[in-house]
Amino acid sequence: MGLLSHRALALMEDPTLERHFKGHKDAVTCTDFSPNRKQLASGSVDKTLMIWNLAPKARAFRFVGHQDAITGVQFSPSSNLVATSSKDRTVRLWTPSIKGESTVFKAHTAAVRSVAFSHDGQRLVTASDDKSVKVWSVHRQCFVNSLSQHTNWVRCARFSPDGRLIASCGDDRTVRLWDTSTKHCINCFTDYGGSEMFVDFNPSGTCIASSGADSSLKIWDLRTNKLIQHYQVHSAGINSFSFHPSNNYLISGSSDSTVKILDLLEGRLIYTLHGHKGAVITVAFSRAGDLFASGGADGQVLMWRTNFDTKSYQEVLQQHSRRSTPDPPPHVTDIRPRGPHLHHPHQTGAGSRGRGRREEEEGGRGQTHPLEVLSGHPSSLDSTLRHIVQQLDILTQTVSVLEERLTLTEDKLKECLVYQSQILRDVRSSGGSQRTESEETDGSPVQFT
């Protein structure tokens, strides 16, 4: 893996702090980018929902309605709705405009800990301290069904990309997988040392990851039901994580005050970011993966530019496929991080804190920072097509690697056949007209191994 590692790392640039949003009066518990790249939503213990408009000098919206802390937030796939969950036992659907109208959903009998849309935008799934997972209809604005096998508070629930599964986790130290058509629990992962705080599917829907109070993050392959990666890189509980849309990276936020960035292909930690004072409660990639946000106990919302995925991994695969002896896929064999991360806390942290202070001072004067990263971006359709092309390129390179291995196998087989023929000729020439004992008895040729 050495050659691939060095080439991959050579393509990376450090993530940078782009912008600092100041407006919440208490801990920030949840964040989400709108799919249309125009807004960032955040919820807080201060009971308010903030919608930050990413255009330069655009104003932010503050929405009031919940009677207790907001615990979850997510934009609908069309970006025209925002769902929030709250400790006040309700779920609300907001229009992220200056009017800020909202619809209230009530069915849980205790605090609601998370809310998420299905990928078609037709349903919501919520997790609650009443030990249930509930599914709602967005169009009909009503409760549909409940999933009830958890034996303690349920902290998080998410739909799979195809909408056929729901993953949930909670204080009973389990992660459960549900079939949305039959409403049955079809799998239960129990190998955890504490409460599980967060769960989600990877973008391709082949794996689920979970994290919690035991400071570990685990990734399970749903096709084999096996644990394929296990990271123990934080020194306190992991409150949130987010997959990069390429499937190649994952960010995590922890009560140890840090944001960690993992390279899932290499199977190791690559960055540690120190931008928050106190616990990091929420992290989220944008839909395109070029930005990510973090929020925490300090009331800050920080927006970072990703940078380390500027050049796509398919370029590395193209170089990799030219090698005479390709390595096996690393994401299958790497169970634990295999090496130290590249950036010590004082390196990335110093730069992050320095920029964070400058932006806070300017933010105090009521100014906003222009977001140059948004200029000239393609439409969401272009982005989707580009992602499909990227995945096809990766598949092409994988096929190329397999073809190369097949060629190597054929060459070895030919060598074996030539060697066997040489031995047969040697035996015939040395034995002359004499036959071996086995040939005299049954007439079969001599077998060599």
Side-chain angles (χ1 to χ4, degrees):
M1 186 57 66
L3 179 59
L4 178 58
S5 301
H6 292 311
R7 284 178 173 171
L9 298 177
L11 299 177
M12 291 183 178
E13 296 180 26
D14 293 359
T16 55
L17 184 62
E18 280 287 311
R19 203 164 165 187
H20 172 212
F21 298 100
K22 192 174 182 180
H24 284 297
K25 299 176 181 178
D26 210 329
V28 177
T29 58
C30 47
T31 52
D32 190 45
F33 286 90
S34 64
N36 65 10
R37 304 166 176 259
K38 293 181 179 180
Q39 296 176 316
L40 171 64
S42 60
S44 169
V45 175
D46 67 10
K47 308 176 188 177
T48 68
L49 166 68
M50 296 290 295
I51 302 291
W52 313 94
N53 289 299
L54 302 184
K57 300 182 180 180
R59 63 176 296 184
F61 302 137
R62 183 195 303 273
F63 298 142
V64 179
H66 281 294
Q67 303 302 307
D68 206 335
I70 294 176
T71 56
V73 66
Q74 195 175 84
F75 277 92
S76 64
S78 60
S79 302
N80 65 336
L81 293 172
V82 176
T84 55
S85 57
S86 171
K87 285 186 178 180
D88 67 7
R89 306 182 181 185
T90 69
V91 175
R92 283 180 180 259
L93 274 181
W94 310 78
T95 53
S97 63
I98 194 167
K99 292 182 180 181
E101 300 170 343
S102 67
T103 303
V104 183
F105 289 56
K106 294 181 179 179
H108 284 292
T109 58
V112 187
R113 296 289 177 175
S114 78
V115 63
F117 281 93
S118 59
H119 284 239
D120 61 5
Q122 299 299 308
R123 293 171 293 168
L124 287 172
V125 62
T126 55
S128 170
D129 287 358
D130 63 12
K131 306 178 186 178
S132 75
V133 174
K134 294 189 185 296
V135 178
W136 313 73
S137 168
V138 174
H139 177 68
R140 290 184 286 138
Q141 298 187 351
C142 65
F143 163 72
V144 177
N145 65 275
S146 188
L147 307 173
S148 304
Q149 283 192 29
H150 281 284
T151 58
N152 208 327
W153 293 359
V154 189
R155 295 285 185 170
C156 185
R158 291 288 188 270
F159 280 104
S160 63
D162 61 11
R164 293 188 297 177
L165 300 174
I166 289 174
S168 61
C169 67
D171 286 7
D172 59 3
R173 301 185 179 188
T174 69
V175 172
R176 291 184 177 272
L177 205 60
W178 310 83
D179 186 318
T180 56
S181 59
T182 65
K183 319 295 189 296
H184 292 155
C185 179
I186 58 174
N187 209 340
C188 182
F189 301 98
T190 58
D191 187 22
Y192 300 102
S195 298
E196 287 302 291
M197 307 298 291
F198 203 86
V199 67
D200 202 1
F201 291 84
N202 68 340
S204 62
T206 57
C207 300
I208 56 169
S210 64
S211 67
D214 65 355
S215 73
S216 70
L217 188 144
K218 296 179 179 179
I219 301 177
W220 302 81
D221 189 323
L222 297 180
R223 296 160 296 187
T224 61
N225 292 326
K226 290 183 178 180
L227 178 70
I228 57 172
Q229 291 190 352
H230 179 196
Y231 296 92
Q232 195 82 41
V233 294
H234 285 286
S235 58
I238 301 174
N239 302 307
S240 175
F241 61 80
S242 180
F243 281 98
H244 189 271
S246 69
N247 273 327
N248 295 349
Y249 302 96
L250 181 145
I251 52 175
S252 58
S254 167
S255 295
D256 65 10
S257 306
T258 67
V259 175
K260 304 274 188 181
I261 302 172
L262 305 172
D263 184 330
L264 301 180
L265 290 170
E266 287 285 320
R268 67 175 183 173
L269 174 67
I270 55 174
Y271 290 105
T272 296
L273 305 180
H274 296 253
H276 290 275
K277 298 174 183 177
V280 181
I281 304 174
T282 175
V283 292
F285 271 114
S286 64
R287 300 302 199 275
D290 54 339
L291 301 171
F292 62 95
S294 60
D298 55 8
Q300 295 187 96
V301 178
L302 303 180
M303 187 173 74
W304 310 78
R305 191 190 292 209
T306 302
N307 289 339
F308 52 81
D309 198 39
T310 302
K311 294 187 178 180
S312 65
Y313 197 75
Q314 67 200 42
E315 295 179 31
V316 183
L317 280 177
Q318 288 172 358
Q319 296 172 336
H320 180 49
S321 67
R322 299 189 190 108
R323 296 171 57 195
S324 58
T325 54
D327 292 323
H331 60 285
V332 175
T333 57
D334 291 329
I335 302 302
R336 291 180 178 272
R338 296 184 293 113
H341 58 281
L342 306 178
H343 297 264
H344 297 291
H346 68 272
Q347 292 175 323
T348 307
S352 299
R353 285 194 293 269
R355 294 193 62 176
R357 282 196 295 272
R358 289 197 297 274
E359 295 191 1
E360 184 175 354
E361 290 165 5
E362 294 177 11
R365 294 196 294 271
Q367 298 178 0
T368 58
H369 288 269
L371 189 61
E372 297 175 359
V373 71
L374 290 177
S375 60
H377 271 302
S379 66
S380 58
L381 178 60
D382 290 340
S383 177
T384 302
L385 290 173
R386 188 173 59 187
H387 179 68
I388 292 171
V389 170
Q390 178 183 350
Q391 296 302 314
L392 288 173
D393 286 342
I394 292 174
L395 286 172
T396 301
Q397 297 306 320
T398 304
V399 171
S400 176
V401 171
L402 292 173
E403 287 176 344
E404 189 170 2
R405 289 183 179 176
L406 181 60
T407 302
L408 291 172
T409 304
E410 289 174 346
D411 290 343
K412 288 288 185 182
L413 183 59
K414 288 177 182 177
E415 290 177 9
C416 290
L417 291 173
V418 170
Y419 180 67
Q420 187 176 14
S421 299
Q422 182 63 43
I423 293 176
L424 285 169
R425 284 196 297 271
D426 292 344
V427 169
R428 290 193 182 106
S429 61
S430 61
S433 59
Q434 296 179 353
R435 288 178 172 268
T436 64
E437 185 176 341
S438 62
E439 288 178 308
E440 292 172 350
T441 55
D442 59 16
S444 61
V446 179
Q447 295 183 353
F448 294 91
T449 58

